[in-house]
Amino acid sequence: MQGFPGGVPDPQQLQATMLAIEQACSLIQVHMNPAEAEKVLSSLHSSLMPYQACRFILETSLMPNARFQAAGAIGDAAIREWGILTDDNKRSLILYCLNYVMEHAGSPDGYVQSKVSAVAARLLKRGWLEFPDQEKGAIFFEVEQSIRGMHGPNRQFAGINFLETLVSEFSPSTASSMGLPKEFHDQCQLSLEVKFLKDFYCWAQAAVFNTADKILNSNVTIPEEKACSAALRLMLQILSWSFKPTLEHENLDAKIKSGLRSDAINLRKFERSLVKPGSLWTDILISSAHTIWVLNFYTTLRQKYSYDTLWGDSPIAVSCRQLIVQLCSLAGAVFPNDNGDAQIEHFMHILSAVILWIEPPNVIAESIRNGGSESEFIDSCHVLLSVASLTSSSLFDNLLKSIRQYGTINLLSALTSEAVKSVLDNQNEEETWGSDALDILLETWNVILGEACADKSPMSADGALAASNLFKIIVESHLKAAADSAFEDSDDAEYFHVSVSKRDEQLALYALIARAAADTTIPFLEQLFSERFARLSQRDVENDPTRTLEELYWLLLITSHVLTDSGEGETLLIPEALQVGFTNVVEVAQHPVVTLSWSIINFSRQCLDPGIRGRYFSPRLMEAVIWFLARWVATYLVPLDVSREIDSVGRHGSQHSRKLLNSFAWDNNQGELVLDFVALMSMVALTTYQGEIELQTLTCQKLLASVVRRKHTCAYVVQLGFCKWAFFIFIEWTFTEISSRNTCMCSFLHQRSRSICAVFERPHGTSRRMPSRKC
């Protein structure tokens, strides 16, 4: 090739170099003398002007690994020696790599072609700001011809693969290191986006169109299918591009009124960035009915291969579905200014096709359990999450009602139910599809119901009913799983702790679902808890209470999340959904939150009886009790005058419910009784359960911290039936006993003792010790 860098090659030297590289590759393959082999390979990569030797290896060697090393050496040397190469040298290297890829497009050693393609992309980017647009256009012209299928399916695939690599090279997150400043990469990225990226998408689109009929009409796998899959992946990759923001006018107010969100929201687990390519892309993405074509293409393929339960995991199926999921994230000026009608219609088309993948959910879930592919189920969950993140809860629910007799939230509820059942039915198996789906679906509920929801209007009656039914299924499924695990020996250490990060996160999302229909879910929890408590109260010595205790343990955890928030780093408040609900409740004794709270506190009081404590209250159950009490005290045991501040808060009709919840814990001197009980519970936890560090840590760092963080609660402790110094002595004794084992607890108690001293008006440092545990 004219202009190829390097002097006139010596045939014998070229042959010797190739043999040395092949021998080094062979030694690495058989794990013999790897250090010496690596040294030989490194010498090729670091040698001056190795281009002729590398070219000889690429064109002559029968060993794919040797050709792979030669391709990499060309790229490393060219980047290193870029400053001493002539413009003709640079162009020749790029064109040589591209020609090599095209000429060997049918080679079975695909990884070698991918490496050569990556070298071409890397060198093209290195010279991107140097080469005039005319030269770049000439290079891309040949690539376009191949992608459009002018030279057969193999070269078509090679051309698409090159563009995939090129887009990846120009993306900051996947770019190769070139030793150049960030500004260089930014300029390259912007230039490619403005001048070529849309053309690349059109070429890939044309490749899919041109191969679609052959694929649909063929009864066997044909090469065009590989090229079509690659083109779909390229389209997905381009839509995943981080487009530069454009200052284009959008009627945001009209979109918001129609139920569309204008900005991305922060998701807990799943990164979901909006695709905002701008109005220049409207013609190929929206006006051309591109999404509808992709959906119809997948639906037709799906029908063709309906007999094959594993077709959903084929490359063309996976790439097509992933493109559909990404199309759900289209937003911004790419849609016309029509009050959001085009975007809503866009979502409607996608949901109309996707629902065929998951309807009915119970049948699809059963098929997966019997060995079918779960890919469509998982991807449909991603679709729902994407749509939910761009719509209000009311619009999200209404999208499906135009084509079904139920709303989207009903579908979400049914899918979540199946995912929960799958997770709990397969806890001891490696099957993960249920867990993956549940994570996505719960995140969707979080978007609809949580703080991320900008739509503050209440959920529809149908949506609330769906949430209520789902929560009941969740609770019943978990109770059954808890009872079934009562006699199992779990090897999971986290199983024995009440507060585990992953489980807390899941329970908090369950709680959001419960609060969406609090008028039914909280009485349901109270009924379940009372039933289990009654079983223990029967004191039937012939029946083993272990199953019931496991159920009570789980009920304590979920109820704590429903009634309270974690409050990490902030003041705990009664959840807003509970404050504005129950507007029809007049008497405090009839308020479901009140009855549920006292039901659990009355159960917890049983541990003060030594006989009952010894039979029922294991350290693990005591941890759950202490953990519940800590969150409940911090949330509901508030100052007496809080209700005075409520008159100007909330919607009309909810003020009475707010006042009830913010004051019931102190009515009829119940606050003092609770504090009395908390002090006794703390002493029991610290004196009876010796060696239970987790329980004692919870008692001090959570429960006692909740009590002593406010002066009025400290003052009430002094006014209880204890002697004046009892509570202070108790704290000091706890500090002395535990300080040697838990430095964090030691620090906490030391700090709290100062504030308690101020309440008791006792000089800090005076000491009275409780008797030793041995006494």
Side-chain angles (χ1 to χ4, degrees):
M1 178 181 289
Q2 187 176 3
F4 201 83
V8 178
D10 179 356
Q12 292 184 345
Q13 183 63 38
L14 294 178
Q15 187 71 25
T17 301
M18 183 181 72
L19 291 176
I21 297 300
E22 288 181 340
Q23 185 179 12
C25 290
S26 298
L27 290 175
I28 289 177
Q29 282 184 315
V30 296
H31 306 288
M32 290 180 60
N33 202 2
E36 187 65 28
E38 290 287 353
K39 185 177 180 180
V40 173
L41 297 178
S42 178
S43 67
L44 177 67
H45 284 258
S46 60
S47 59
L48 180 65
M49 291 283 181
Y51 309 109
Q52 295 289 357
C54 292
R55 178 179 179 179
F56 181 79
I57 295 172
L58 278 169
E59 296 176 355
T60 309
S61 178
L62 300 178
M63 181 177 289
N65 284 350
R67 300 199 300 273
F68 181 90
Q69 292 293 334
I74 288 178
D76 293 343
I79 295 296
R80 183 178 63 250
E81 299 170 355
W82 193 262
I84 63 175
L85 294 176
T86 66
D87 291 344
D88 197 26
N89 291 157
K90 298 169 184 176
R91 285 191 294 270
S92 295
L93 285 173
I94 295 170
L95 291 174
Y96 173 76
C97 290
L98 275 176
N99 290 334
Y100 181 90
V101 168
M102 296 302 175
E103 290 173 4
H104 296 81
S107 171
D109 304 314
Y111 71 97
V112 177
Q113 274 61 256
S114 294
K115 182 64 175 180
V116 178
S117 186
V119 170
R122 189 181 182 194
L123 299 185
L124 182 57
K125 180 182 176 181
R126 180 61 183 86
W128 189 260
L129 302 181
E130 302 174 21
F131 301 151
D133 289 343
Q134 184 177 1
E135 288 188 12
K136 288 181 266 188
I139 293 173
F140 287 136
F141 177 78
E142 294 299 328
V143 176
E144 179 188 0
Q145 297 304 301
S146 297
I147 290 176
R148 290 185 179 274
M150 303 298 184
H151 306 295
N154 288 330
R155 293 190 65 161
Q156 185 177 36
F157 172 79
I160 296 169
N161 186 61
F162 168 70
L163 285 192
E164 275 192 272
T165 307
L166 186 70
V167 173
S168 178
E169 186 63 62
F170 276 72
S171 299
S173 60
T174 51
S176 301
S177 175
M178 296 182 180
L180 296 173
K182 181 178 182 296
E183 288 74 12
F184 171 82
H185 296 278
D186 290 341
Q187 291 178 37
C188 291
Q189 180 189 10
L190 181 60
S191 174
L192 186 75
E193 177 183 329
V194 172
K195 297 177 181 178
F196 293 101
L197 201 61
K198 183 181 175 183
D199 289 338
F200 293 171
Y201 195 92
C202 291
W203 301 347
Q205 200 177 52
V208 175
F209 290 162
N210 294 338
T211 57
D213 287 341
K214 292 181 180 180
I215 295 171
L216 293 174
N217 295 326
S218 175
N219 294 322
V220 296
T221 301
I222 56 177
E224 283 80 1
E225 189 168 324
K226 182 180 179 182
C228 183
S229 300
L232 290 167
R233 287 197 307 273
L234 176 58
M235 293 159 71
L236 168 65
Q237 184 184 33
I238 293 173
L239 288 184
S240 301
W241 182 270
S242 180
F243 290 94
K244 296 296 182 183
T246 56
L247 298 176
E248 296 182 280
H249 174 69
E250 289 185 74
N251 192 350
L252 297 180
D253 291 339
K255 286 191 173 185
I256 292 173
K257 289 179 180 178
S258 65
L260 293 168
R261 302 182 197 270
S262 58
D263 297 316
I265 61 174
N266 294 323
L267 304 181
R268 294 189 183 188
K269 287 187 176 181
F270 304 94
E271 295 183 3
R272 180 74 71 242
S273 58
L274 298 186
V275 181
K276 291 186 172 183
S279 59
L280 294 176
W281 288 67
T282 300
D283 55 341
I284 63 170
L285 293 178
I286 307 302
S287 304
S288 64
H290 170 61
T291 300
I292 297 175
W293 189 93
V294 174
L295 292 168
N296 290 338
F297 177 59
Y298 182 81
T299 300
T300 306
L301 275 176
R302 189 173 183 272
Q303 293 171 347
K304 176 183 177 181
Y305 293 100
S306 58
Y307 64 90
D308 186 356
T309 57
L310 298 180
W311 174 81
D313 293 322
S314 65
I316 193 168
V318 171
S319 55
C320 194
R321 277 199 316 274
Q322 289 179 344
L323 176 60
I324 292 170
V325 172
Q326 190 67 4
L327 286 168
C328 288
S329 296
L330 278 178
V334 69
F335 291 102
N337 279 322
D338 57 359
N339 300 326
D341 293 342
Q343 190 171 0
I344 293 173
E345 185 179 4
H346 175 75
F347 291 141
M348 291 283 300
H349 287 309
I350 292 176
L351 279 180
S352 298
V354 168
I355 195 173
L356 300 177
W357 310 351
I358 48 176
E359 188 183 49
N362 59 329
V363 175
I364 301 300
E366 183 62 26
S367 172
I368 296 173
R369 285 190 282 268
N370 291 332
S373 172
E374 72 276 9
S375 301
E376 286 188 337
F377 195 101
I378 298 294
D379 285 334
S380 66
C381 294
H382 279 295
V383 166
L384 291 177
L385 176 58
S386 295
V387 175
S389 66
L390 285 168
T391 58
S392 65
S393 61
S394 57
L395 175 58
F396 176 79
D397 194 27
N398 289 330
L399 286 174
L400 203 55
K401 290 182 178 179
S402 62
I403 57 175
R404 290 293 187 274
Q405 295 180 343
Y406 52 84
T408 318
I409 290 180
N410 289 80
L411 174 64
L412 178 64
S413 176
L415 293 172
T416 309
S417 173
E418 294 303 323
V420 169
K421 292 175 184 177
S422 173
V423 170
L424 296 177
D425 290 344
N426 300 280
Q427 293 185 85
N428 298 324
E429 300 179 14
E430 295 182 358
E431 189 174 330
T432 60
W433 75 268
S435 178
D436 293 341
L438 183 59
D439 285 345
I440 303 167
L441 294 168
L442 288 179
E443 186 62 27
T444 307
W445 282 105
N446 177 53
V447 170
I448 296 171
L449 302 172
E451 294 179 358
C453 181
D455 177 22
K456 296 302 182 183
S457 60
M459 182 175 287
S460 66
D462 288 344
L465 179 60
S468 174
N469 292 335
L470 171 61
F471 184 72
K472 291 178 180 179
I473 291 173
I474 288 172
V475 172
E476 290 169 350
S477 300
H478 274 277
L479 287 179
K480 181 180 181 299
D484 292 344
S485 67
F487 301 103
E488 294 179 1
D489 292 329
S490 176
D491 294 330
D492 186 359
E494 292 186 344
Y495 173 79
F496 294 100
H497 298 306
V498 297
S499 184
V500 179
S501 177
K502 180 176 176 57
R503 182 173 61 191
D504 280 353
E505 184 178 343
Q506 187 178 83
L507 291 176
L509 294 173
Y510 286 168
L512 281 180
I513 298 171
R515 293 173 191 169
D519 58 330
T520 59
T521 56
I522 290 183
F524 175 66
L525 284 174
E526 202 279 331
Q527 175 190 349
L528 292 175
F529 196 88
S530 298
E531 289 175 355
R532 271 63 180 180
F533 185 15
R535 291 179 193 173
L536 294 184
S537 301
Q538 293 172 0
R539 298 174 180 261
D540 187 351
V541 295
E542 295 182 0
N543 294 328
D544 191 328
T546 307
R547 292 172 61 88
T548 302
L549 291 172
E550 284 296 326
E551 292 176 326
L552 283 168
Y553 176 84
W554 193 85
L555 284 172
L556 282 168
L557 299 184
I558 186 59
T559 304
S560 178
H561 280 281
V562 173
L563 296 186
T564 67
D565 290 318
S566 65
E568 294 296 335
E570 60 186 30
T571 301
L572 277 171
L573 299 174
I574 298 173
E576 180 69 12
L578 303 185
Q579 293 200 59
V580 301
F582 308 103
T583 56
N584 59 333
V585 175
V586 178
E587 299 294 332
V588 65
Q590 298 174 353
H591 200 296
V593 173
V594 174
T595 56
L596 178 56
S597 296
W598 293 136
S599 179
I600 294 180
I601 290 175
N602 289 334
F603 164 74
S604 303
R605 282 197 177 103
Q606 304 302 306
C607 76
L608 299 180
D609 184 317
I612 297 177
R613 181 171 65 244
R615 186 179 182 193
Y616 299 134
F617 286 83
S618 65
R620 184 164 165 269
L621 183 59
M622 276 295 292
E623 286 181 17
V625 170
I626 294 293
W627 192 68
F628 171 86
L629 288 173
R631 291 172 61 128
W632 187 91
V633 166
T635 304
Y636 291 92
L637 216 58
V638 294
L640 289 171
D641 60 350
V642 165
S643 59
R644 299 176 187 173
E645 304 173 5
I646 297 176
D647 292 336
S648 61
V649 180
R651 297 189 301 270
H652 179 71
S654 66
Q655 294 178 8
H656 183 67
S657 178
R658 289 180 183 273
K659 290 180 179 179
L660 288 181
L661 287 186
N662 282 280
S663 61
F664 80 91
W666 287 94
D667 287 345
N668 301 318
N669 297 321
Q670 291 179 122
E672 295 96 321
L673 296 176
V674 172
L675 288 174
D676 188 357
F677 163 61
V678 166
L680 291 171
M681 278 281 295
S682 302
M683 295 183 73
V684 167
L686 292 167
T687 59
T688 305
Y689 295 86
Q690 299 184 24
E692 297 295 338
I693 300 299
E694 182 73 17
L695 174 57
Q696 295 176 346
T697 302
L698 279 172
T699 302
C700 292
Q701 293 188 342
K702 299 297 183 182
L703 182 56
L704 294 180
S706 300
V707 173
V708 302
R709 69 161 52 113
R710 297 187 180 98
K711 289 185 178 180
H712 80 282
T713 52
C714 290
Y716 274 114
V717 170
V718 177
Q719 297 170 15
L720 297 178
F722 297 103
C723 70
K724 184 176 181 180
W725 312 116
F727 194 69
F728 176 76
I729 295 170
F730 156 66
I731 291 290
E732 269 200 321
W733 171 80
T734 306
F735 170 80
T736 303
E737 290 293 313
I738 299 176
S739 61
S740 61
R741 294 178 308 205
N742 192 315
T743 56
C744 293
M745 198 180 309
C746 170
S747 175
F748 159 74
L749 290 173
H750 184 68
Q751 294 172 4
R752 294 301 178 186
S753 66
R754 292 182 178 273
S755 62
I756 294 169
C757 283
V759 174
F760 293 151
E761 299 178 349
R762 177 183 175 192
H764 178 71
T766 56
S767 175
R768 284 183 61 189
R769 296 185 181 276
M770 287 284 284
S772 169
R773 288 181 181 173
K774 297 180 181 180
C775 295

